[in-house]
Each structure stands twice: as structure tokens, then as C-alpha cells.
Amino acid sequence: DGGITQSPKYLFRKEGQNVTLSCEQNLNHDAMYWYRQDPGQGLRLIYYSQIVNDFQKGDIAEGYSVSREKKESFPLTVTSAQKNPTAFYLCASSIVQNSNQPQHFGDGTRLSIL
Amino acid sequence: QKEVEQDPGPLSVPEGAIVSLNCTYSNSAFQYFMWYRQYSRKGPELLMYTYSSGNKEDGRFTAQVDKSSKYISLFIRDSQPSDSATYLCAMSKIQGAQKLVFGQGTRLTINP
């Protein structure tokens, strides 16, 4: 079955620690995205990537970093500079070429502070 | 003012009722409109995807877009308890790597 796999499902971060959230897709989609979801605020875009080895900041990129070394993978690192990291993190992907195709989402990683 | 406004609810209706969920937006550049359903502790699942104004129907779901009023709606007919979820509207302006703008989401409960 094609889809988007996020791991781990739950993650805990200590003060001053960087943590990395995994996102893998086997849909052969070009574009991948990371969103943060907080209660009552909807989804906010952190980073997105249209192609391997290229990515752009979204609306709330501060304190986060990404890489896109493979088409299938788009890991997100939550750095110690992100002072309020507790949230539900969602990865998405979409086709880019020829038309505006909707994004499809994984089942998220819930990050909490210890 | 947020670009996309959505009443967070919660909204509670009896089974079998018609449900109307709505979003308003301020930027006339939005052209592509989506509705996602999100169950608790899961990722959003695409329900409906429309371009420009008009209606689109898929089973018990109808999406409506009124660009002149900057208003979109999702109607659910013959609502079922399994429809209980948070419904998110989303919209985008451009082709390619679309930057979606989401509403807050409306939490819906269908009571048996």
C-alpha cells in the first residue's frame, strides 16, 4: 500500500536536546511538507521541498531544520532553539507537475517536553 | 485578521441530520479549496477538492465554493456517528508546491 509513514508516533525531548522526526513516502510524490498543529490553531507550515536537495522555509521555520537527500524522505529536526516544541507534527506530500494536486498526510508525531 | 476563518465549534448534532460546515477567507487569490477530515490522533484525510466556484458532490458530501462571497461550505447528508471528527478547510493560490492555508478546524460530534 502506498502512503506516508511518520515515526515515531510519540517522542519526548529533554531541555537542550535536538530531536529528529522521520517522514517517508512511497507515493513517488515530488513535494513534501512539514506542518505543526496546535490546539485551536489549525496547521502551520514549517518547511517544504519541491525537489531533492532543495527546500524552502514556511511560516514558522525558526528552531527547525530539514534535509531532502532522497525523494522518499524528508526528516525534520526540532532544535534546542525551538522554545515551545510541544505539538503534533504532520508530514505531507503531493505531486507537483502539471496541476495543483492536493496534499496527503501521514498520521503524525506527537512531541512533548520532559 | 486570519486569512482563513473557521468556527472551531464544537458542533453536536443527532444522527441523520444534515451538517453544514463553513469557512470564510479574505484573500481573493485563493483558487483551490479542500476539506480534510481528521480523527483523533490521526493525520488529516482528504475529503473534497474543488477548483473555483460551484458545487461538487461525492456520496453524502457536497462541497460548495462561492468566490464572490469568499465563502466555502461542506454539507454532510444523513450524518453517521462515524462522521464524528474535526473538519479542516484548506485553500491555496498557486500551482506547483502549494502552500496550503488551513482553517482552525471544526470539531463535530454525531450523536446516535
Side-chain angles (χ1 to χ4, degrees), chain A residues 37 40 50 100-101 103 106-107, chain B residues 36 38 43 49 94 97-98 104:
Chain A
Q37 187 175 30
Q50 289 183 269
N100 198 334
Q101 294 295 315
Q103 294 176 22
D107 276 339
Chain B
Y36 287 87
Q38 185 177 24
Y49 174 56
I94 60 171
Q98 36 171 288
Q104 290 179 276

Side-chain angles (χ1 to χ4, degrees), chain A residues 83-95:
Chain A
K83 297 307 179 189
N84 184 24
T86 297
F88 191 44
Y89 290 86
L90 289 158
C91 178
S93 69
S94 69
I95 297 169

Side-chain angles (χ1 to χ4, degrees), chain B residues 86-112:
Chain B
T86 295
Y87 289 80
L88 297 153
C89 66
M91 46 199 79
S92 67
K93 306 170 192 174
I94 60 171
Q95 290 189 351
Q98 36 171 288
K99 294 179 69 175
L100 292 182
V101 180
F102 283 84
Q104 290 179 276
T106 299
R107 183 178 294 179
L108 173 67
T109 301
I110 308 297
N111 300 303

Side-chain angles (χ1 to χ4, degrees), chain A residues 99-103, chain B residues 31-36 46-52 56 58 63 65 90 92 94-95 98 100:
Chain A
S99 64
N100 198 334
Q101 294 295 315
Q103 294 176 22
Chain B
Q31 298 185 63
Y32 305 89
F33 304 92
M34 286 136 275
W35 285 96
Y36 287 87
L46 182 68
L47 273 180
M48 302 289 280
Y49 174 56
T50 57
Y51 170 72
S52 198
K56 182 176 182 179
D58 184 2
V65 174
S92 67
I94 60 171
Q95 290 189 351
Q98 36 171 288
L100 292 182

